[in-house]
Structures are given as C-alpha cells and as structure tokens.
Amino acid sequence: MSEPVLQVRALSVDIRGGGDRTSAVANVSFDVAPGEMVCLVGESGSGKSVTASSVMGLLNTANLRLSEGSIKLCGEELVGASKARLRELRGSRMAMVFQEPMTALNPVHRVGDQIAEVLRTHSRGMTRKQIRARVLELMRDVYLPEPERLQYSYPNQLSGGQRQRIVIAMALALKPALIIADEPTTALDVTTQAQILSLLRGLQTRYKTGVLFITHDLGVVAEIADRAIVMQSGRIVEEGPALEVLTRPKHRYTRMLLDALPVAVARPPRFEPDAPIVLAVKDLTKTYDERSLFRKSRSTKAVDGVSFDLRRGEIVGVVGESGSGKSTLARCIARLITVSDGRVEASGSDVAKLPNRSLSGYRRKLQMVFQDPYRSLNPRMTVAQLIGEGMANIGLSQREANERTRRLLDLIGLDHSVTSRYPHQFSGGQRQRICIARALAMEPEILIADEAVSALDVSVQAQVLDLLEDLRSRLNLAVIFITHDLRVAARICDTVAVMHRGKIVEYGRAVDVFAAPQHEYTKQLFAAAPGTDVLGQMVRH
Amino acid sequence: MLRFLIKRLIATLPVVVGVAIVVFLILRLAPGDPAAVLAGGTATPETVAEIRQKLGLDAPLLTQFFTWAGLVLHGNLGTSIITHQPVWNLILQRAEPTLSLGATTFVVSIVFAVPLGVLAAWYHQTWVDRVVMIISVLGFSIPAFVVGYLLVYLFAIDLKWLPVQGFANISRGIGPFISYITLPTITLSLFYGALIARITRASILEVLGEDYIRTARAKGLRESTVMTRHALRVAAGPIISIVGIGLAMLISGALITESVFNLPGLGRLTVDAVMSRDYPVIQGLILVLSLVYILINVLVDIAYAVVDPRIRY
C-alpha cells in the first residue's frame, strides 16, 4: 500500500478546565490511504469532530488543547507546524466540507467568488481568466446546473443541496490529498443526501482523494465507507472494513448503536381499529399570500387539501422532506397558525374556524413536542415551572400541580429531585423527556410530535421512541408523529401519511406502505434512504 | 429599489408634517415673548403690543401656523424677526462650518473607529481589546465641553500648535482650514468614534462564531482576510445603522462643540435664535435638520442593501 495521506498517532486533546471529562480525544490513532473513504462514526460527544478540527489545525483553543500525538499529512508533521504553513496546507492539500450548508457559506459574497477565493489564495500564478474558467469547471464537476449563471448567485438564492455542492467544489478546487467531510449530509433531505453521497464517492474515486467522513448515521456508513472507525467518549472502540463492522460488530457499543438503529420494517397497527375518532382533518389547506401593492399577489399552497382521521391510541406518521408542508400541517392542526380552508374536527366542533380566544379548551386537549429540545425550553425556568406553568393556567392548585408533576416525572423516568434544576443541566434526551412531560401535564388526548427525535443521537432516539410508545399504550394517547426519517417512522407508526408538495400522496397502514409503496415519490424516498441494502440484510441475519 | 425609494420618501411626508406641527406648538407654548425681547427692557406694554401685532404674533395660533406652513410649502422659511434676513439665507451662511465639522468628524471617526473595533475583536480579551475599550468608554462618557477645553489648553494654549478657536473657510486654503477644524473634529470624533468602535467590536465578535468564518479559515485564508472580507462585510449592517443613528447625536454634539470652539455654524445659530426667541429661525432650523436626518436614514437603508445582498427592497 502506498504512503497514507493522513496518519494520526496517539492523538489526545484535553478539555481545559474540563469537569467530568478531562479529554475530548484520548490516544486516537488511524490512517487514511489515498483514494480511501474512512468513516469516523460516533454519537455527539464522541470526539469525532474534535479529531477533524485537530487535523485541520482549527481547534477552538479557548477550551481545547492538543496535548499529545502526531498528525502527518502526506508524511509532513502538522502538530507544531507554523501557523503560516498550516494556512498554506488548508485549502490546498487538505480541505473540509461542513455539516450546515445553510451557514457554511458567507452570505454576502457571490458563490463563484467564494470558490475563486481558494484559487486566488493558494495558486499565485493563475490569471483571472484561468481562475474564472476553473471555477466553472469545478461547478460542472459537482453537477451544478447553469454554472455561468449560478456563479453570480448569493448563497441564499440556492437550495441546501446546491450550497453543499458549492462547498464541495470549494474543497476540491486544488485537488487536495485529503478531504475531511464533517456530517456533510446530515442537514439535507434523504433524496438530496443520496445525490451528495454519490457525488462525493464519484469525485473521490476520480481524484484519488483520501476522505475522512464523519457521521453519526450508520446508514451513511453502510452506503459509502471503505473502512469504519467507531468512537465513543473520545476513544476508538472498533475499527475495520465497513461491511465487517456493520455486519459483525465486535464491541458492544457498536452493537448497541446498531440495535438502536430503527429498522425500516414496520409492525402491524397496535390500536383498536374501531376506537373513537378524536380528530378528523378534512380538506385542510393553508395558503400563503404574498401581497404586494403594485404587483398581482401570488399565493403558495403549503398544505393542499389534506384529509385524515386520527383514532384514540393511534400513532399517525406524517413523513416528508423539508418543504413538503408537514410542519405547516401540524401547526394548522394545533391552531398555532390560522387555517385557510377546510375543517379540523375535534369533539364535535370545527376547530379550524374557532377564533384564537376560544381555543383554550382545545389547547388542553392537544399538545405539541417540538424538534429542538435545546431551544424549546425557556432557559430561565426550572423543571417544576416548565411543567407546572400550563397547569397553573388551567387553575390547578400548587399542590395538585406538584403532585401531577411528580407523577409525570415517574412516567418519563426522571428523578423527583430534578424539579429545581434548569434545562441546561440536562442532556438532549432528558430535555426532550421534559418537553414530553410538559405536554402531558395538560392530560391531552392528542399529542403532536414535530420531528421530536430528529435532534437526538440514535441511542437516545431509541429511548425517547420507547417512551412515546409506552405512553401511548398507558394513556391511550393519539399521536401525530411528524418526521423526515423513514426508519423512525417505521419503528413507531401505525399509520403513515407521505407528504409531497403539500399533498398526502400515499396513506395507509405502515406495514403496507413500507412493504409495498405504491406512489412513485414514496418509492423514490425509500430508495434514497442510505444503507438500506446492507442494513436490510443485517436485519434478516 | 426605485419603488422602495419612492415609497420611503412618501412615507417621510407625515413625519415632516408632524415635526413642523410639534416645533411650532412647542415654541408657542414655551415661556418667552419675541416681541418683548425686540422691544428691550424699558419698553412700555403698548410698544410690545404694537411690535407683536406687526409680527403677526397676535393672530390665533391656527392662523399663524397656516401662514407659516403656506410659506414653507413655497420653499420660503420666513424672515428672522431679529435680523430681518430670510431664514434660508441665514442657514446657508452658517451651513459651511457645521457641514465641514460633520464631514471631517464622520470621516475621521470611521477611519479610526472601524479598524480599532476590528482589532479589538481580533485580539479579543487581550491588552489590545482592553485599551480600545477603555478609550471608547472614556470617549463616550466625558462630555464634549470637557474634552474640548482640555484639548484647547494642551494644543492651543500650552503647546501653541493650533489656534484656540474660530473657523477658516476652505476657500482660504487647506492649511488654515485643517488647523482650525482639527481640535473640534477630535472632540466630536472621540464621542462618535467610541460608539462606532464599540458596535464594530461587538458585531464582529458575534459574526466570528458563525460557520462561514470556520469555512474561510479552512480555506487557508489569512486571518486579516477572514476579519475584513468575511467578518467585517457581514458585520457592516449593525455598524451602518449605528453610524446613522449616531448622526442625530452628532448634530446635538456639534451644537456644544461649536460653542466651545466658537465656530459660526448652525449650532451657534440655533443657540442665538433660541436665546432671542427668533421663532422663524428656530422653526426653519429644526425643519431643515429633521429633513437632513430623514434623508440620512434613507441613505442608511440603501447602504444596507449595498452591503448585504440578502436585503432587497
């Protein structure tokens, strides 16, 4: 084998003034060979991003310190190299692709200029004309449509997938020996993710680039990795050819990750088919008008004639990509926004037409859990206040509220002593449990979970899904579960509604939809889910 | 863009009308009588009444207002009660020193304060940052008249490098102009620049945490390029808005500074007019200054769109 492009030996990164953990990365060693795709897998806090930043020389030195080890790029030692040399290497010999294409590009510069900047910085000899030509060539390489026109666009005029292509073009500009891709597809829709993954794979083979691909998603690993390195709490726990790691995991942490992974095979419904209907949505439509004084107004249908019934104890999954209207639908049903047309029937009345001031009764019956547990809890309120606020609103006494809060904490599996603590003292999974307790405090009939597990690590995701499942059967809750993740939907839903451009394109029992999708779009969506083949095989084993 | 500008300008009309009404009423409701000032201390009540009638100040308020408003609509700000010169001419005569001082302060503040703010953010929490912040706290909190007199004492009286007070038209040559305008400019810039430096530092610090700054560093750009082309460009929005808001304070600051350095500018004109209850002059001045202020705000809006392509009107 030829010399590795990246050689990391005994790398340790300390956390300055670290509390329960003093090192972010401890004694990590691995290689990346030319033309090899190595996946660094782990949950949040496993040290995978810190490892990547160390290689790039971009560690946040305010709280992290590279204490030991050696990092060699094509044989050249990077630890202790001068800032100027590192700067020369960044962008030219090693490049990076980031997670958030929405924020990774500077909003005030044209995308073409942002690619050109790499060339201008690192290759002095190029003329303006040559740079211009190379930018267009790169944009064609990443399959961007109409590069001549697109190069003059600003990032906000492009879609997430297009932006990620720009970032990749930027990384490829000088044909670096090593590309570090830090969760490059996590923020993208599955179909876009599939395109970007195959793009990266293709370019990497063509340019013989070594790629260090960081991800939390074992599906992605199955899809593209040559080799997989599993990290937990700053250490490497397992390493080997990707297929082997996925199909014959040796370490129990790897096995746990694989077990926690929801499998895209649905189970039969677990609710009474003739249970009473608690919510009936009929031809629900939400139109956004763009009013203008001088032009003809335009209107967009975010939700277009959606109908479905929700029975007591049923979990309906609303599945779709970003922009499909699934969140708008949830917000319409919860009446957080006004409904343009159609009916939302709950306990005999049409909620869609109710004025805001008459909604308090409905609000008690329907509660929501949102995506980001880090932002949906007020940081200045204690757990007791967060859970108790709604109860005080509907006139429960302090004693009754405290009583119910304790019962809820039992239900979600948190200790009674946490009531005086603040959200920042909890982990993501715990926070989402608190959000669920807050929602349940009103003793609702219906719970809407809007991407409630999307921001969580798989192992935590599994716990929260189990909790929801458990609550459904114990409290006979009806749940509308909104998600972009098919595997999550398969795991928890009885019924599935697939949304595309504001419409439900497919609706049916989860087992049927997952076993034999009818609509073309659903088929596409399923095909795009990363690692379906490998992981599907695994299940059968 | 053009449509936006037209809309913006139309929207300013009610503001101007409002300003005119408020100014007119406040003057009339405030104590003090221009007729009495004109007639002098020894005049009899009859003389004062006669003067008042001659000036039209005995008419009902509404009549007085519409008379004045009618004149203003024809571009005529009226005539000074005291000097009998047209208000417009008075303003034009006194505009140069104030405009000069405003322009030099504006340029000097931005040229020094923005780079200092960038440096403070770049070397966040080092001595560079602290020195810049100390200077800006001092600049912001020491009143202009204290700074002004200290500067005069040091550079004019003690070192004799610069004249104590007064103003030289730019037509008298660039040398004299600069020697006269330097101290007032420093006095005023200290205050205005302090504001800009602080906001520059704060908004750059905020931008530095963004993902695209990490991208810029990952491209291997020099830190100076990261700070200017990537951070400052994005941070320019808040800076521009504080520059615009600060201009209002600059106008009031110019008033004090002109008094300290005895500049024959609009500030002095305002003070004199207020002292002698010269209603038409005060009204005209405030109306013109508020128009200038509105115009600056429109310019600020345009500047936003220039620096940030996400903003399109």
Side-chain angles (χ1 to χ4, degrees), chain A residues 56 58 87 90-91 98 100 103-109 114 117-118 120-122 154 156 170 294, chain B residues 3 7 210-212 214-215 217-223 225 229-231 233-234 307-310 312:
Chain A
M56 289 295 286
L58 291 173
R87 206 168 54 221
R90 280 202 292 268
F98 301 96
E100 274 293 337
T103 53
L105 291 169
N106 193 313
V108 303
H109 293 290
Q114 297 197 46
E117 199 175 24
V118 183
R120 280 201 304 269
T121 310
H122 294 288
Y154 289 100
N156 63 312
M170 228 151 73
F294 299 92
Chain B
R3 185 189 304 135
K7 268 205 261 183
E210 297 286 343
D211 288 350
Y212 47 81
R214 189 184 49 181
T215 309
R217 288 191 176 129
K219 279 180 183 175
L221 301 184
R222 287 173 182 286
E223 199 58 16
T225 315
R229 188 154 59 199
H230 288 270
R233 254 307 285 280
V234 183
V307 297
D308 193 338
R310 285 169 299 181
R312 282 289 166 263

